[in-house]
Amino acid sequence: MVFKKLLGALGVGGPSVDTVLHPGPALPGGPLSGEVRLRGGGSDVTVDRISLLLVARVEREGQEEEGEGTVVLERFTVGGGFRLAEEADHTVPFTVTLPWETPITELHGQHLGPVLGIRTELEIAGARDKGDLDALAVGPLPAQEAILEAFGQLGYAFRSADLELGHIRGTGQQLPCYQEIEILPPAGHAHTVNEIEVTFIAAPGGLEIVIEADKRAGLFSEGHDTVHRFTASHHAVPQTDWNAQVDAWLKEVIAGHEGHAVSPSHGDGHRSGPGTGAVVAGVAAGVAVGVVGGMVAAEVVDEIGDAFEGEEDEESEEEG
């Protein structure tokens, strides 16, 4: 769909690959379907394996090497063990299941910031080549959407979202990174809190919600962070008053109760800046989230290409 690519490691005249994802955003823990379209090159080859890699751009904060990098969140084998004839077309349909912790990239059709992609990798005669790369859109689970909507209803403003490399202690996190959604407080709390950071850690049995408040310094106290963990059931979405629930969570976090305190595994300094992509503004009650200074879909796709293809060039130089 995005980066139809001749497989360079297989030499001039090698096969080409084009992976097409079914339209619409996927969901964490849900299916991702599409097809891998191959076209044979100048000679017959045996395709040993077709793999799809779920890749993400992440921030490395508090690490030895800070900055941005790419991580593989999951690898799926979707085909292989067949002969691809010279200049022949071959299509491999697939359906895979995304990890429950897959980051959210959009809300109400608006890009949030995190950059995810599906990279297609072919293995032929012992050579492995990175082929097609497609932007992946992931929407929120019902509980995630309900909680984010409640923040908007309570007057909180969505600032940005990014992915951080590391683990949050005391949670069931499985992936090597986690998503932070930065939210600005309403005027009533602006004197006590700089910002709120929300992390969702989803699993089949429910949702963990980690909320961190960056508290302002007072007349007789220094500013500091308080971190709390809460849980929600996927099945409780329809019958829950989410405005009241989120408001109760926030009151506990802002008050600095220690009962549910957790901390990230990469040490103190658990702060993050704006994400890689568009900054999303929070809204007044009942109004959908909109992009402020954001990007249209084509620009998001361009960013996916620039981010991941640039890293591939670096990897090629290192291998050379």
Short mmCIF file of all heavy atoms in Angstrom, two decimals, residues 130 148 161 179 192 201:
data_model
loop_
_atom_site.label_atom_id
_atom_site.label_comp_id
_atom_site.label_asym_id
_atom_site.label_seq_id
_atom_site.Cartn_x
_atom_site.Cartn_y
_atom_site.Cartn_z
N LYS A 130 14.16 -6.78 4.15
CA LYS A 130 13.05 -5.94 4.58
C LYS A 130 12.37 -5.38 3.35
O LYS A 130 12.98 -4.65 2.58
CB LYS A 130 13.55 -4.80 5.47
CG LYS A 130 14.24 -5.28 6.74
CD LYS A 130 14.93 -4.13 7.44
CE LYS A 130 15.69 -4.60 8.67
NZ LYS A 130 16.46 -3.52 9.30
N LEU A 148 -10.75 8.27 28.06
CA LEU A 148 -10.27 9.49 27.42
C LEU A 148 -11.41 10.49 27.22
O LEU A 148 -11.22 11.71 27.38
CB LEU A 148 -9.61 9.15 26.09
CG LEU A 148 -8.30 8.35 26.18
CD1 LEU A 148 -7.81 7.98 24.79
CD2 LEU A 148 -7.24 9.14 26.93
N ALA A 161 0.94 12.53 22.72
CA ALA A 161 1.14 11.13 23.09
C ALA A 161 2.43 10.64 22.47
O ALA A 161 2.76 11.00 21.34
CB ALA A 161 -0.04 10.27 22.61
N GLN A 179 2.99 3.50 26.25
CA GLN A 179 2.51 4.76 25.71
C GLN A 179 2.13 5.72 26.82
O GLN A 179 1.49 5.34 27.80
CB GLN A 179 1.28 4.50 24.82
CG GLN A 179 0.72 5.75 24.17
CD GLN A 179 -0.40 5.44 23.20
OE1 GLN A 179 -1.01 4.37 23.25
NE2 GLN A 179 -0.68 6.37 22.30
N THR A 192 -2.14 23.36 41.11
CA THR A 192 -1.51 22.26 41.84
C THR A 192 -0.81 21.25 40.93
O THR A 192 0.10 20.55 41.37
CB THR A 192 -2.55 21.51 42.68
OG1 THR A 192 -3.59 21.04 41.84
CG2 THR A 192 -3.15 22.41 43.74
N ILE A 201 -2.38 -0.16 30.00
CA ILE A 201 -1.76 -1.47 29.80
C ILE A 201 -2.90 -2.48 29.73
O ILE A 201 -3.48 -2.87 30.75
CB ILE A 201 -0.78 -1.82 30.93
CG1 ILE A 201 0.33 -0.76 30.99
CG2 ILE A 201 -0.17 -3.21 30.72
CD1 ILE A 201 1.29 -0.92 32.14
#
